[in-house]
Amino acid sequence: SAVCTVSWKSDTGPEQIKCALDGGKALPAAYKGITRVWTKSIKVQGGKANAIVMEFADEAALKAYTDSEAQKNWYKVYLPIRGESTTFDITN
């Protein structure tokens, strides 16, 4: 899984954030290696605004996601408004 905590640029509006989070939620349909995505943040700490969790089928799917068309398409709405993020790739 990948866990990403995000803060948005100061001029980002709620519709832009919704678009980015909705784009994240749509990733399983665009990339077969992602099984689930969570975007509804209940509690966020450390100066971030949201957290996004992506569950991958396996570690190989996570690695293959980098620079995939699905990632590139999502980044079109996500990266322009992202202020700062921290990502943890996690497995057991």
Side-chain angles (χ1 to χ4, degrees), residues 10-64:
S10 61
D11 61 345
T12 301
E15 284 302 313
Q16 291 172 293
I17 294 170
K18 182 182 181 322
C19 185
L21 295 177
D22 287 349
K25 287 191 288 190
L27 283 170
Y31 181 78
K32 67 180 180 176
I34 297 177
T35 57
R36 288 185 274 190
V37 175
W38 293 273
T39 62
K40 184 179 178 183
S41 299
I42 297 170
K43 179 181 179 181
V44 183
Q45 296 176 321
K48 301 295 195 259
N50 290 91
I52 301 166
V53 179
M54 297 177 190
E55 182 180 332
F56 290 83
D58 52 32
E59 194 172 339
L62 168 62
K63 289 179 181 178

